[in-house]
Amino acid sequence: MRTRTVIASLLFCVAGLLAAPVLGEPGDFTEKLDIGISTDEIAITSDFRGADLTIFGAIDGFDQNLLAQGKYNIVVALEGPKDNATVRKKERVFGIWINTKSMTFELVPESYSLSSTRDIETIAPPGDMNNMSIGVDHMRLTPTGYIGDGSNLTEFRDAFRRARENSGVYQRDPGGVQFISSSLFKASVRLPADVPNGVHVVRAYLFRDGMFVAAKALPLRVVKTGIEQAITRAAHESPFLYGILAVLLAVITGWLASVVFRRD
C-alpha cells in the first residue's frame, strides 16, 4: 500500500511538471529587427571632413498597441575597428610635466558613434547596457597587464572616455533615431573626419518596454583612396623605406624653403 502511495505521488509530480508552462529565455519575443544601409563601403579622400551615415530599419511582428504607446526603442551604434588603447597620466615633477602612470585597455573601438530614440539611460537598466556594452558609459574597458590594487581604474576609464569624446571619435546622439512610419525607422550616425581605416560594424538593438528584444549587425568598410591609400600601404608594408623617404622629403623641403626665402 505504501509503495502504491509513493508511486502515485511521483506520477502526480511528473504530471504537474509536464503541465507547467515552459518559461522562455530572456529576449524570447515575436518581434524581429531588420536594417539596411545605402552602401557597404566608404571611400576616404584627401578632402574628407566627416560624413553622416543613414541606416534604415523595420520592426517585424510588432504589437500595434505597444507601438502606439511608444514602448519600442531603437539604439544604433557604429563601431570602428578594435585595438588596444593606452591612457597616460601627466604630473608635474620638478616643474616639468611628464607621464608618470599609464593604463592600457584591451581591444576597444577606435571610433564609436551612437544614436537612439531617446537617452539610453531611460531605455533599459544600466546593468543590461553594461552586459551588452551599449553606449560610451557602458563600454567594456578591460585593462591589460599589472594594475596594482585597481584603485585608479575608474579614473583611467573616465579619462579614456573623456579624451575620446573630446577628440570627436566617440559621439552620442539621443534622438538620432526616428520612426518614419508605424514600424519603419531611420538613424543617423556620424563618421568623424579622422575615421579609422578598416571594417566597421553597424549594430542595431530593439528594446520593448525596457527589455532587450533583438539585435542586427552589418559590416561597413572604410578605405582610403588615392595618395592616402598609397602612403598608408607604404607605411605598413615597408616601414623602413617609408621612414627614409619621409626624412629625405623633409630635408628637401627644408632646403627648398631656405632657397626660396633666402635674403641676399
Side-chain angles (χ1 to χ4, degrees), residues 130-229:
N130 286 333
N131 291 336
M132 292 182 284
S133 192
I134 301 177
V136 177
D137 295 332
H138 304 284
M139 186 176 295
R140 191 172 292 109
L141 299 176
T142 305
T144 62
Y146 178 73
I147 61 171
D149 59 2
S151 59
N152 56 356
L153 182 57
T154 300
E155 177 186 3
F156 276 94
R157 282 174 171 167
D158 291 341
F160 170 82
R161 295 186 178 100
R162 186 168 56 251
R164 290 294 174 99
E165 288 194 287
N166 289 341
S167 64
V169 294
Y170 278 17
Q171 305 177 41
R172 63 183 91 189
D173 182 16
V177 179
Q178 298 177 342
F179 282 95
I180 55 179
S181 69
S182 58
S183 62
L184 300 177
F185 64 88
K186 71 172 183 177
S188 179
V189 291
R190 182 69 178 169
L191 283 83
D194 53 348
V195 59
N197 198 39
V199 178
H200 298 236
V201 180
V202 177
R203 301 185 188 277
Y205 305 87
L206 171 63
F207 293 87
R208 186 182 79 180
D209 200 16
M211 299 185 65
F212 170 69
V213 175
K216 198 78 172 182
L218 290 175
L220 174 70
R221 293 182 65 245
V222 176
V223 296
K224 294 181 179 180
T225 59
I227 187 64
E228 290 80 8
Q229 183 184 23

Side-chain angles (χ1 to χ4, degrees), residues 43-49 193 195 197 223-236 242:
I44 304 299
T45 58
S46 58
D47 58 348
F48 183 77
R49 296 293 180 268
V195 59
N197 198 39
V223 296
K224 294 181 179 180
T225 59
I227 187 64
E228 290 80 8
Q229 183 184 23
I231 293 175
T232 301
R233 182 178 300 174
H236 286 84
Y242 173 80

Side-chain angles (χ1 to χ4, degrees), residues 40-113:
D40 58 359
E41 183 174 291
I42 300 292
I44 304 299
T45 58
S46 58
D47 58 348
F48 183 77
R49 296 293 180 268
D52 291 318
L53 179 68
T54 300
I55 298 98
F56 292 94
I59 305 174
D60 295 329
F62 61 90
D63 186 301
Q64 186 64 49
N65 293 328
L66 294 176
L67 187 65
Q69 298 172 25
K71 297 296 185 179
Y72 290 110
N73 283 285
I74 306 291
V75 179
V76 176
L78 177 62
E79 297 181 6
K82 293 185 177 182
D83 197 2
N84 292 352
T86 301
V87 180
R88 294 179 173 83
K89 181 179 181 180
K90 288 187 176 182
E91 292 181 336
R92 196 178 183 89
V93 179
F94 299 112
I96 302 175
W97 289 96
I98 61 174
N99 296 322
T100 57
K101 298 178 181 178
S102 66
M103 184 174 294
T104 299
F105 295 108
E106 182 181 18
L107 297 179
V108 295
E110 295 183 54
S111 62
Y112 188 84
S113 182

